Each structure stands twice: as C-alpha cells, then as structure tokens.
Amino acid sequence: MALLTLADSELRGYGTDGTNTLSEPQITLVLRALQAVCSRLDFNLEVPFRNFSGFRSYWMRKGASGHEGWQARRDLVDELFGEAFGKLEILERQPRGPRLDESVLAGLTDPAAIQDHLNRLQRAVNDDLALAIGSAKELIESTAKTVLIERGMEMDERTDLPVLVKEAQQALGLHPSSATLGPDGTEAVRKILGGVLSIAIGVAELRNRGYGTGHGGAGARAGLSKRHAHLAVNAAITWCQLMLDTLIDPTVPWRSS
C-alpha cells in the first residue's frame, strides 16, 4: 500500500503541478517493486510505462496533453491504480498468513517463543519455502514444550520431537490411547488424535529430510514447491491450535483427572 500510494502521488505530481520529488531511476524502481509485490499477492498490476518520460508518452497517446489535460492525466492515474487500491484494502483487512487464535496465546504464561515462530512463518510461507517448513517444525516443538512446562512436567531439552509430541498429547489427555470421558474418548476423536499425532511427526520428518532449514544440505531442494510449505505450515497450525485450545480450556477432562 505504501508503494502504491507513493507511485500514485508521484505520477499525479509529475502529470499536473510538478510536485514530484523522485528521479527517473527512482520512479522506475518504485514501479518495478510495486508490480513485483502485487504479483506475490496474486494479482497482476499492469503499468504501461517504466518512468516519468514513459508516463508523458502514455498520456500524449491518450490525448491528455497540454494545460487542459491535468484532470485527464489524474483520471489516467485513477484508471491505472484504482483497482489495485481496492484489492489491497481488502487484503489489509484479512488475516496475514498462518495464525493461532489470540485467545490461546493470551492464556499462556510466556507465548514469546510461539509468537516468534508464527511471525517467521507469516514472512516465509510464500517466499522462503525451506524456512517455512523449518519454522513449522520449530513451532510444533515450542508448543509441545510450552504444554509440558504449563503442566508442570519434567522435560529434557534433548528429547526428539516425536517423543515430545507424544508426551505433550498425553499430558492433555489427547493421545489416542488415553482413557478419556466424553467426546475425546470416542473412536472418531481417537482417529483424529492419531492423525494429528502423525502429521506433527510428519512435519519434523519433512524438515529432517532436508526440505526445511535447520540442517545444512549438500544440494538443491529438488521438487520443493509452495504447496509443500503450505502443507507443513497448515499441519503445524492444526496441531498447535488443538494443543493450546485444550491447554487453556477450563472444562477439559485432563483438569478433572
């Protein structure tokens, strides 16, 4: 939005009262950066010129020359950027990247580590796929450790993630083998709990096979695409949301047991 506002203001200034402050190379960089960012946000912003000189040629072709053409040149800028402003305003109102409910984070004694991983995931999920997968594994690990700490249980920092995940689920009565009353003890929920246990471990295995950051690889991560990062991140969010929801819920079976 800041790039779009800058480009809009500079082109209006150049086309009307000469109040633009950027140079030709600078407006070229602004327009290139703006189009690149819009592309990463999955919409294509077409700007049929590269700089101020190109904008002048453009408005001349459109019949917006001379002193009488000031409003026409403003209208041309509106045509170029009006739709983009609308799309960005919609995106600004939407959640940005993977998130956990604020209520579960507020219920923790110290949510700093989890929030740090979430921030990294939001920055990486579409641009740095290996970092997204590595951070998804770290989010699961930090969440499991947080659960054990909040439950007052002993924890060995050297414990492998599969064991850590299992211990955390057991601590909350969420392991498939747990004898739990109510919906959590049904065969249907047990199947789901077994599934989330598997996906948490799967995220760690994907990272350990060299597709995520945290281990130095010897070659390129062949075949890795955005869908794999989304898979790992969404799997991690699903597991962590379940764990933290159960941790802070005052009515869950583990509290009475």
Side-chain angles (χ1 to χ4, degrees):
M1 185 64 83
L3 280 170
L4 183 60
T5 302
L6 176 61
D8 181 272
S9 174
E10 286 292 303
L11 291 176
R12 287 176 189 275
Y14 180 80
T16 55
D17 54 9
T19 55
N20 59 290
T21 60
L22 298 182
S23 65
E24 286 280 75
Q26 288 171 334
I27 191 63
T28 299
L29 288 175
V30 167
L31 292 175
R32 285 177 60 191
L34 176 61
Q35 289 175 289
V37 172
C38 288
S39 177
R40 289 204 295 270
L41 295 173
D42 293 325
F43 71 89
N44 188 31
L45 176 62
E46 291 285 352
V47 181
F49 48 82
R50 298 181 59 188
N51 48 33
F52 291 130
S53 298
F55 180 38
R56 177 183 291 275
S57 299
Y58 178 71
W59 83 55
M60 292 176 67
R61 294 195 304 271
K62 292 289 187 177
S65 301
H67 183 76
E68 298 291 329
W70 281 19
Q71 186 56 51
R73 294 195 282 276
R74 293 190 186 99
D75 292 341
L76 288 177
V77 176
D78 286 338
E79 291 174 8
L80 287 171
F81 296 147
E83 183 179 1
F85 271 113
K87 288 182 176 179
L88 288 179
E89 287 169 359
I90 291 172
L91 286 173
E92 279 192 327
R93 294 194 294 269
Q94 295 175 346
R96 301 180 182 181
R99 299 169 65 89
L100 292 170
D101 290 349
E102 294 295 332
S103 60
V104 300
L105 297 178
L108 301 177
T109 303
D110 184 5
I114 292 175
Q115 188 62 66
D116 182 56
H117 296 313
L118 284 171
N119 292 340
R120 193 174 298 111
L121 283 175
Q122 290 170 355
R123 294 192 300 269
V125 67
N126 291 314
D127 296 319
D128 192 334
L129 308 184
L131 179 60
I133 292 172
S135 297
K137 180 263 181 184
E138 291 170 357
L139 175 63
I140 291 172
E141 186 173 7
S142 288
T143 300
K145 290 178 178 179
T146 296
V147 166
L148 295 175
I149 291 171
E150 295 275 347
R151 292 284 284 114
M153 296 183 171
E154 293 185 3
M155 180 189 61
D156 187 343
E157 290 286 346
R158 298 167 296 179
T159 302
D160 290 336
L161 188 98
V163 176
L164 202 59
V165 166
K166 179 181 177 181
E167 290 178 349
Q169 288 195 211
Q170 287 175 330
L172 298 180
L174 293 177
H175 193 270
S177 64
S178 300
T180 307
L181 299 175
D184 291 341
T186 64
E187 185 63 24
V189 173
R190 286 182 178 182
K191 287 181 179 179
I192 297 172
L193 295 177
V196 295
L197 176 62
S198 295
I199 64 173
I201 294 172
V203 171
E205 291 180 352
L206 183 64
R207 176 260 192 180
N208 291 341
R209 289 179 179 271
Y211 292 106
T213 55
H215 288 297
R221 296 178 173 93
L224 183 62
S225 68
K226 188 181 292 186
R227 65 187 178 90
H228 299 110
H230 287 174
L231 174 65
V233 169
N234 290 330
I237 292 293
T238 296
W239 188 84
C240 295
Q241 186 73 59
L242 169 66
M243 299 299 291
L244 297 179
D245 278 343
T246 307
L247 178 65
I248 69 168
D249 187 345
T251 66
V252 289
W254 70 261
R255 293 188 181 275
S256 59
S257 63

